[in-house]
Amino acid sequence: MLENAIKNEQTLNNVKGYRAWLQYSKIEDKRMDEEYRSWFSAIGVAGDTSITNSAIKELSDGIESMLDVAPTVNVDSLQTASIILGTYQDIWIEDYGMSPELFGDLNNEGYVLKTTPNDNGEKKILLIGKTDKGILYATYHLLRLIQSRKPIHSLDIVDAPKNQFRMMNQWDNIDGTIERGYSGKSIFYYENDFSEDLERIKDYARLLSSTGLNAISINNVNVWDVETNLISKQYLPKVERVANIFRAYGITLFLSINYASPIALGNLDTADPLDEKVRAWWKKKVEEIYQYIPDFGGFIVKADSENRPGPFSYDRDHADGANVLAEALKPFNGILIWRCFVYNNLQDWRDRSTDRARAAYDNFKPIDGQFLDNVILQIKNGPMDFQVREPVSPLLGALKKTNQLLELQVAQEYTGQQKDVCYLIPQWKEILDFDTYAKGEGTKIKNIAGGTTYNNSNSGIAAVSNIGNDINWTGNTLAQANLYGFGRLTWNPDLTTEEITRDWIHLTFGHDPLVVENIEYILLNSWKTYENYTVPLGIGWMVNPGHHYGPNIDGYEYSAWGTYHFADRDGIGVDRTVETGTGYTSQYFPPNVEWYNSLDSCPDELLLFFHHVPYTHVLKSGETVIQHIYNTHFKGVEEVEDFIYKWDKLVGSIDNRIFENVKERLYLQLKNATDWRDKINTYFYRKSGISDNKNRTIY
């Protein structure tokens, strides 16, 4: 019914859910409307690039929508303009009291956003970028301020991103499906070809750029037969067309590739990275790609994991495999991103010396320093697979001579699949603020990702996308907050969760106090709530195999044994200690290794990830493990009921389509939470034989 209703709209941009946080809603406050209007009679622009033109259009459209005025745009005529856009080299900034030295310390995406009088005393707002990318980011910053109803009469902002690479990974397949996609089909592909809806791709570029993202890969890391051809002449003209769209918004395009492409596309009999025929083939292929896309970002590779081809087939290591590709890309300033998600998905967990958590570190730590300088190793935030709670990967920080990229997952594969609300910014903040002690106290993940810890030439943060062709992009409208928050955190990991949350709510829903209060409450509590009714104390998994939604306590699909948690009648958890377990704890730097290895100091929320304990083990909270399981699962359901109560209070205060969309999802979440509660509690009651001390019904 929603799809049919949308077809009657003039454009998708009439749909609030589609506009996401770029609502640009009409300002109803007359005082603020008058204040803002006084600034936007004319926009002066110095320079003419596709990125600058995007900034002009975004600013003009946003102002017209919010203030109902259409400012004139004067190219290379700044005298009469009240808003001035340009780079510090294109504008005589000394006339406005600024020195070029101010831009010396900024990276190429930095900017100054400043209200200042010129020599005649006329006040102007300057959006001055180090490059045209800085102009675009300054434009989005100004628009955020206006959308948030902030004053702009005395701006003095100098800003630049903390991370060089701020990247979105699409897991889209060329048949139009999305691996781990929960928001419809691909916006890029349709029935083994590229989509003709370029306007939707452009709007996605706008959304990403507005949060500060600057790179995207547009196909799944699992590259199958048809997708292999994306680097062939059959598809490169269409890849070029998409690259042109993203380029205009400061976003560089990458492609995931099949490591066996020399065989599949080049008719070679090998993909051995040390074979000269293979090296020559990749060099020729890369040269061909850059003829179509001169600023092509490079390749992403998933190799030797989950049955994907890689250098192991030829008795080569990951450095051999990555360097042959990096060597071909290097003359064009291209980047090779090599994923560290490598493990034997058929390993037998009955042998506790085999620990999937160890795989990334064991594979890559020994070859640190053997990669070319245009190789980046992309490392998942945890050692397992985007669980609701797991420790930070010990490989992050352990590589002292290799570029590294932190990988997060905006798509809620194991965190509710955009049916359940699970706001991930609090989780990501914990990860980014985690102290690795790699170079002593204060060596946090955000410093490693930002490249400052080891002076990495290429570094940053990437994430798996959560968007599809659903009208609201993300299935559940509240899941847009994860996409927005990811971009803002990659730009500045020091932003607080509360700042990001409030900004997103104001941009998306406006300023009604009840709307802000209730949505903020739901978002800020949702991660802990999801953890409460799903997996306890860091144990992970326990989901249905294959699709990964809903409880299946013994359903761990990547194990010949068929379970992950090692629960028996006496206790639960995975022993990863040095003395009696898998030795995984030894991969951390001191004092983390001692904290995790000791039962006394290991934090409760990760206890069962690191230790096998009796059900009667007393947590630091004072609860036993079994009572914690019972309590949290009952509490999680009650919290979802509270979310529904708070959401229902907003009827009539927000767009009805959005209201009904989220309401429907919350009731799905309640059903899911109840299912988790009953199955988990019943399982562990029967396994342990210990009753709930609050005498609640356990089936």
Side-chain angles (χ1 to χ4, degrees):
M1 292 178 63
L2 180 58
E3 295 289 342
N4 292 333
I6 296 303
K7 290 177 182 177
N8 295 325
E9 300 281 0
Q10 291 181 347
T11 67
L12 280 174
N13 277 313
N14 290 330
V15 181
K16 281 185 172 290
Y18 181 81
R19 296 203 303 270
W21 52 86
L22 299 180
Q23 295 289 322
Y24 301 145
S25 300
K26 179 79 171 66
I27 295 175
E28 302 296 343
D29 185 301
K30 289 186 177 181
R31 182 187 61 80
M32 301 205 76
D33 179 71
E34 290 175 2
E35 178 187 340
Y36 290 140
R37 276 172 176 264
S38 66
W39 291 101
F40 289 100
S41 58
I43 299 172
V45 183
D48 181 15
T49 70
S50 64
I51 294 176
T52 302
N53 292 335
S54 294
I56 296 167
K57 179 167 176 51
E58 198 72 30
L59 184 58
S60 299
D61 290 350
I63 293 307
E64 185 171 4
S65 177
M66 288 187 285
L67 303 177
D68 200 24
V69 296
T72 59
V73 178
N74 303 315
V75 178
D76 295 327
S77 177
L78 310 181
Q79 289 78 9
T80 61
S82 53
I83 305 289
I84 296 176
L85 284 72
T87 69
Y88 80 109
Q89 293 175 317
D90 291 333
I91 293 176
W92 198 256
I93 59 176
E94 288 90 342
D95 286 352
Y96 303 98
M98 283 190 286
S99 167
E101 294 179 0
L102 178 62
F103 292 86
D105 295 331
L106 290 181
N107 59 42
N108 285 336
E109 295 172 301
Y111 60 85
V112 172
L113 181 56
K114 188 176 181 64
T115 308
T116 182
N118 64 6
D119 290 342
N120 298 323
E122 298 169 326
K123 295 199 85 175
K124 299 177 183 287
I125 295 179
L126 306 178
L127 291 79
I128 313 297
K130 181 79 173 275
T131 65
D132 55 357
K133 289 186 178 181
I135 298 171
L136 181 62
Y137 294 132
T139 298
Y140 280 120
H141 193 149
L142 179 60
L143 287 167
R144 279 199 303 273
L145 291 173
I146 298 171
Q147 284 183 278
S148 301
R149 311 301 189 255
K150 301 287 180 60
I152 60 174
H153 59 271
S154 58
L155 300 174
D156 190 10
I157 298 167
V158 180
D159 201 6
K162 300 287 181 69
N163 290 288
Q164 180 182 358
F165 282 92
R166 308 179 301 280
M167 188 175 195
M168 189 59 67
N169 291 170
Q170 300 296 139
W171 281 6
D172 297 38
N173 302 312
I174 202 168
D175 64 0
T177 61
I178 303 174
E179 184 171 341
R180 308 309 176 193
Y182 313 109
S183 312
K185 296 277 184 92
S186 172
I187 68 169
F188 294 96
Y189 308 107
Y190 179 73
E191 293 184 352
N192 292 334
D193 206 344
F194 276 77
S195 170
E196 293 299 319
D197 188 358
L198 300 183
E199 198 63 31
R200 177 129 201 193
I201 295 174
K202 177 182 175 181
D203 284 338
Y204 185 43
R206 292 175 55 227
L207 289 175
L208 297 184
S209 182
S210 71
T211 69
L213 295 180
N214 69 350
I216 188 170
S217 59
I218 61 169
N219 65 304
N220 191 359
V221 293
N222 290 315
V223 182
W224 308 105
D225 294 340
V226 180
E227 287 84 2
T228 299
N229 291 284
L230 286 178
I231 58 173
S232 72
K233 289 183 178 180
Q234 176 186 359
Y235 287 112
L236 279 173
K238 296 182 179 183
V239 177
E240 177 188 14
R241 191 169 60 171
V242 174
N244 292 342
I245 294 171
F246 281 105
R247 181 185 302 112
Y249 288 89
I251 299 171
T252 302
L253 185 138
F254 287 70
L255 288 173
S256 298
I257 61 165
N258 180 352
Y259 194 82
S261 292
I263 300 172
L265 298 178
N267 297 316
L268 300 184
D269 59 2
T270 181
D272 183 350
L274 301 189
D275 188 297
E276 286 302 322
K277 298 191 300 294
V278 172
R279 299 165 77 96
W281 186 87
W282 276 116
K283 288 179 179 179
K284 184 176 180 181
K285 173 53 65 178
V286 167
E287 183 178 1
E288 179 181 86
I289 294 171
Y290 278 92
Q291 288 173 357
Y292 286 91
I293 310 168
D295 62 346
F296 179 65
F299 297 140
I300 294 181
V301 181
K302 177 179 178 178
D304 289 310
S305 182
E306 296 184 321
N307 301 313
R308 304 312 301 141
F312 283 14
S313 300
Y314 309 98
D315 294 322
R316 315 301 185 194
D317 63 23
H318 290 288
D320 295 327
N323 287 342
V324 65
L325 298 166
E327 182 183 54
L329 290 162
K330 198 171 183 60
F332 305 94
N333 297 316
I335 298 295
L336 189 281
I337 299 174
W338 191 270
R339 296 182 82 241
C340 295
F341 185 57
V342 292
Y343 72 101
N344 176 6
N345 60 310
L346 299 178
Q347 63 190 0
D348 188 347
W349 273 73
R350 287 170 296 187
D351 177 3
R352 297 195 187 192
S353 65
T354 301
D355 187 354
R356 172 175 168 176
R358 294 184 59 104
Y361 188 102
D362 286 346
N363 273 274
F364 289 95
K365 175 59 176 173
I367 54 176
D368 184 21
Q370 297 180 26
F371 295 88
L372 294 180
D373 62 4
N374 63 325
V375 174
I376 309 178
L377 297 185
Q378 184 164 309
I379 306 168
K380 287 190 177 185
N381 63 266
M384 301 302 282
D385 194 6
F386 302 129
Q387 298 301 291
V388 68
R389 177 80 68 174
E390 58 181 305
V392 169
S393 170
L395 188 60
L396 291 162
L399 300 173
K400 301 182 179 182
K401 302 174 183 177
T402 307
N403 297 313
Q404 46 205 293
L405 196 68
L406 169 66
E407 181 181 359
L408 304 172
Q409 190 181 48
V410 184
Q412 294 172 231
E413 178 180 355
Y414 292 101
T415 52
Q417 300 190 358
Q418 287 137 247
K419 297 184 185 75
D420 301 24
V421 180
C422 188
Y423 185 49
L424 295 170
I425 310 307
Q427 181 195 61
W428 298 337
K429 283 290 293 181
E430 283 193 12
I431 293 164
L432 290 164
D433 288 336
F434 177 77
D435 197 341
T436 66
Y437 292 89
K439 291 182 70 176
E441 187 175 1
T443 313
K444 297 184 178 182
I445 295 295
K446 61 185 176 185
N447 307 125
I448 295 164
T452 59
T453 299
Y454 297 121
N455 296 316
N456 294 123
S457 57
N458 295 297
S459 59
I461 306 176
V464 182
S465 173
N466 68 343
I467 72 106
N469 70 352
D470 279 1
I471 296 303
N472 65 359
W473 300 96
T474 56
N476 187 332
T477 304
L478 294 186
Q480 292 178 3
N482 285 329
L483 183 61
Y484 176 83
F486 170 73
R488 299 301 296 136
L489 272 183
T490 64
W491 181 275
N492 182 6
D494 292 325
L495 290 172
T496 68
T497 298
E498 291 73 21
E499 285 176 304
I500 293 170
T501 309
R502 280 286 176 108
D503 280 351
W504 179 76
I505 295 170
H506 287 153
L507 298 178
T508 306
F509 293 99
H511 301 265
D512 181 310
L514 182 64
V515 171
V516 174
E517 179 183 349
N518 283 12
I519 295 178
E520 184 177 37
Y521 177 89
I522 292 169
L523 291 177
L524 293 181
N525 288 281
S526 59
W527 174 43
K528 184 59 179 174
T529 291
Y530 188 86
E531 182 180 24
N532 280 341
Y533 65 75
T534 56
V535 289
L537 304 172
I539 197 63
W541 311 106
M542 298 201 294
V543 294
N544 282 307
H547 59 77
H548 298 166
Y549 185 79
N552 190 320
I553 296 89
D554 285 333
Y556 181 61
E557 66 197 285
Y558 303 113
S559 167
W561 191 19
T563 188
Y564 168 80
H565 47 72
F566 293 110
D568 54 30
R569 69 175 189 174
D570 300 315
I572 181 177
V574 184
D575 185 353
R576 290 190 163 97
T577 64
V578 173
E579 295 81 6
T580 59
T582 70
Y584 166 79
T585 56
S586 67
Q587 294 183 343
Y588 290 92
F589 291 96
N592 288 333
V593 56
E594 290 84 7
W595 288 340
Y596 288 147
N597 199 67
S598 168
L599 190 58
D600 292 332
S601 57
C602 184
D604 280 352
E605 64 268 20
L606 291 171
L607 178 71
L608 301 184
F609 188 93
F610 288 104
H611 297 275
H612 187 87
V613 300
Y615 295 108
T616 54
H617 174 82
V618 179
L619 302 170
K620 295 174 180 62
S621 66
E623 295 176 322
T624 63
V625 166
I626 189 64
Q627 193 58 44
H628 174 89
I629 291 173
Y630 297 151
N631 288 346
T632 54
H633 284 80
F634 279 108
K635 183 179 180 182
V637 173
E638 293 166 1
E639 289 169 335
V640 176
E641 291 172 338
D642 192 32
F643 292 170
I644 292 172
Y645 173 79
K646 289 185 179 297
W647 187 258
D648 282 343
K649 291 286 187 182
L650 305 184
V651 63
S653 298
I654 58 176
D655 177 79
N656 189 59
R657 285 183 183 139
I658 294 177
F659 177 82
E660 292 297 334
N661 165 258
V662 175
K663 181 176 180 178
E664 175 194 21
R665 300 297 171 117
L666 285 171
Y667 276 98
L668 290 173
Q669 182 169 4
L670 180 59
K671 182 177 183 299
N672 189 40
T674 304
D675 196 25
W676 273 95
R677 178 198 66 192
D678 293 344
K679 288 183 178 177
I680 293 287
N681 283 349
T682 298
Y683 178 94
F684 286 107
Y685 168 63
R686 293 177 178 176
K687 185 74 75 170
S688 68
I690 301 173
S691 299
D692 171 30
N693 64 16
K694 296 185 179 181
N695 297 316
R696 291 164 293 196
T697 301
I698 296 177
Y699 298 97

